[in-house]
Amino acid sequence: MSDLIRSVEAPANEAIPPLRPGDLVKVFIRIREGANERTQEFRGTIIRLRNSGNNANFTVRRVASNGIGVERTFLMRSPRLEKVVVERHSHVRRAQLYFLRDRTGKRSRLKQKFNA
Amino acid sequence: MLKGLLGKKVGMTQIFDESGAAIPVTLIEAGPCYVTQVRTQETDGYLAVQLGFEEIKPKRVTGGELGHLKRNSLPPLRFLREFREKDPGVQEGDKITLEQVFAPGEMVDVTGVSKGKGFQGGVKRYHFRGGSKTHGQSDRQRAPGSRGSGTTPGRVYKGSRGPGHMGSDRVTVQNLKVVFVDAERNLLGLRGAVPGAKGGLVMIKGARKQ
């Protein structure tokens, strides 16, 4: 890809550590409410990670009240992303964890990985 | 003043605006261009401005073109294109740069030559439906079907759509918004897609319909 293209793209966000599928993360997003800005948290498991430079993104799944799954996709270089905190890594054997969508309760647990 | 420029398509990417929304942009290396000729009503019968773009070695230009450029002591240029313009406001021999012509927020039309697709069937070329997958059909899935009527008129009307050469056409995309202008590097960012391959020549004009 040409350097000209790269020069206009947003720089990588320093506040995002290396992420892996299966990580339990807290995503801090800047939200605009009328005139004032505040930070909102979104906590869940990364079920999909796409490393592609400028267009890199990841999808976080969390189970909200009444067992309703909520998935949100974030662009890694978006200025709305304040930071991402990894709370724990999981032992997973695939890149896309779409199987979690069909599981609820205890069956949707992932085994923790300590040495990542 | 003349609202036109020649440029080279660099490629596409996405950038973020102030609110944080991702917007698709096409980058164009636009200008600097030289005014190689001003067409007037008296001498040519119509009004237009001829612009030249991209300096090259003299041996890459034909002798005739070289002489044409020499009239205004301009360097050898790869591309010469005309823009219809009632009120040119430029002189032959002028150098036009990006920031003189376009500013962020303006709307422009972009003309280019679309990517060549070769000989294509009716399904890709004109979005024919093709045949049925089932009901005992074989070899009919992308067939064009009937091309006309029966014994009357007994022939296919001229201009009927069918398989044939697709792409490499002159295509104009209207009303693209100028996202940014980088005067230093002659880089123009437009919201949306622009016809042609990377490195292809594009003509950028002020929008006709706003």
Side-chain angles (χ1 to χ4, degrees):
Chain A
M1 199 165 43
S2 100
D3 292 335
L4 276 176
I5 293 181
R6 218 168 286 143
S7 69
V8 300
E9 290 172 348
N13 192 336
E14 302 285 330
I16 300 180
L19 303 174
R20 302 278 309 155
D23 286 357
L24 183 68
V25 290
K26 229 184 216 174
V27 185
F28 293 82
I29 325 129
R30 292 196 193 93
I31 292 225
R32 176 138 266 153
E33 276 177 343
N36 42 344
E37 216 179 62
R38 69 179 185 88
T39 304
Q40 193 185 56
E41 269 177 50
F42 191 87
R43 187 171 173 274
T45 314
I46 296 180
I47 63 163
R48 175 177 188 268
L49 180 68
R50 192 160 168 253
N51 285 318
S52 54
N54 186 57
N55 305 332
N57 57 55
F58 61 96
T59 300
V60 178
R61 176 179 171 85
R62 86 183 185 103
V63 177
S65 56
N66 291 329
I68 295 166
V70 178
E71 285 177 18
R72 235 181 123 169
T73 303
F74 301 97
L75 283 165
M76 290 255 211
R77 298 203 178 175
S78 167
R80 280 184 193 160
L81 264 191
E82 193 175 291
K83 62 173 177 180
V84 178
V85 177
V86 179
E87 294 193 346
R88 69 180 244 177
H89 301 283
S90 308
H91 175 76
V92 290
R93 297 177 66 158
R94 51 207 76 222
Q96 268 92 35
L97 310 182
Y98 296 144
F99 64 91
L100 287 177
R101 290 171 176 167
D102 305 323
R103 299 192 179 182
T104 53
K106 281 191 174 180
R107 262 176 64 76
S108 65
R109 287 174 304 175
L110 294 171
K111 203 170 167 189
Q112 189 167 4
K113 193 172 164 191
F114 293 98
N115 55 350
Chain B
M1 198 199 135
L2 170 75
K3 269 271 181 215
L5 214 58
L6 299 173
K8 246 182 177 179
K9 177 167 164 180
V10 177
M12 286 194 78
T13 184
Q14 66 182 9
I15 59 170
F16 298 95
D17 65 7
E18 319 80 54
S19 66
I23 45 177
V25 288
T26 306
L27 302 184
I28 296 171
E29 221 175 337
C33 291
Y34 295 95
V35 179
T36 52
Q37 197 175 17
V38 177
R39 302 264 188 203
T40 59
Q41 194 70 49
E42 296 78 58
T43 54
D44 308 287
Y46 64 101
L47 296 162
V49 177
Q50 189 187 73
L51 292 185
F53 173 58
E54 211 183 346
E55 289 178 35
I56 45 172
K57 287 186 214 164
K59 71 170 185 179
R60 302 233 185 264
V61 185
T62 62
E65 263 180 44
L66 213 53
H68 170 64
L69 295 166
K70 214 167 240 173
R71 270 195 333 152
N72 297 304
S73 47
L74 292 171
L77 299 165
R78 193 187 298 274
F79 302 109
L80 298 176
R81 293 288 184 276
E82 275 187 20
F83 292 79
R84 288 292 184 111
E85 182 65 53
K86 289 208 176 74
D87 170 34
V90 283
Q91 299 285 313
E92 284 185 16
D94 281 359
K95 190 178 182 178
I96 304 178
T97 51
L98 178 58
E99 77 274 15
Q100 295 169 355
V101 189
F102 298 115
E106 286 176 356
M107 300 301 239
V108 295
D109 296 345
V110 178
T111 304
V113 176
S114 63
K115 281 187 188 174
K117 309 284 183 202
F119 193 100
Q120 292 297 333
V123 174
K124 186 183 180 83
R125 194 169 176 219
Y126 290 114
H127 305 304
F128 288 175
R129 294 279 295 276
S132 170
K133 255 186 192 174
T134 54
H135 296 290
Q137 298 265 36
S138 69
D139 301 348
R140 299 291 300 166
Q141 279 194 24
R142 295 181 72 88
S146 169
R147 298 210 62 181
S149 319
T151 316
T152 322
R155 63 189 173 88
V156 172
Y157 287 123
K158 281 197 172 170
S160 301
R161 298 178 306 164
H165 184 269
M166 184 183 174
S168 304
D169 298 319
R170 184 189 159 101
V171 177
T172 303
V173 175
Q174 295 183 328
N175 286 327
L176 297 174
K177 195 176 188 179
V178 178
V179 180
F180 65 85
V181 170
D182 186 341
E184 219 162 85
R185 290 179 298 174
N186 297 310
L187 204 57
L188 177 69
L190 299 178
R191 191 196 164 110
V194 156
K198 290 174 195 170
L201 176 77
V202 289
M203 292 169 75
I204 312 145
K205 286 170 275 188
R208 280 174 68 114
K209 305 173 188 166
Q210 298 234 12

